[in-house]
Amino acid sequence: MAQHTPPAPRICPACDGIASAAVTIGGRDARGHLRIITVDCPACRGAGTVPARSVREGIRA
């Protein structure tokens, strides 16, 4: 019996695999640290990959 391997995850086309970014919002806090927020890609929700599409072999459209 043949073993099926799961398809490899695809890189998200919206963020090219760089799913999270740190963005400075300007200024510094009382301790002198930069104020930043972390933003995740809305398409992949910070994962960097999207599920592979199911491809049916042997069936023609």
Side-chain angles (χ1 to χ4, degrees), residues 11-58:
I11 294 176
C12 176
C15 66
D16 290 330
I18 304 172
S20 296
V23 180
T24 61
I25 57 175
R28 295 186 180 263
D29 63 6
R31 295 182 180 176
H33 299 185
L34 283 173
R35 296 185 309 184
I36 61 170
I37 56 173
T38 303
V39 182
D40 293 332
C41 172
C44 65
R45 297 190 176 133
T49 59
V50 292
R53 293 184 216 163
S54 64
V55 177
R56 294 183 178 180
E57 294 181 20

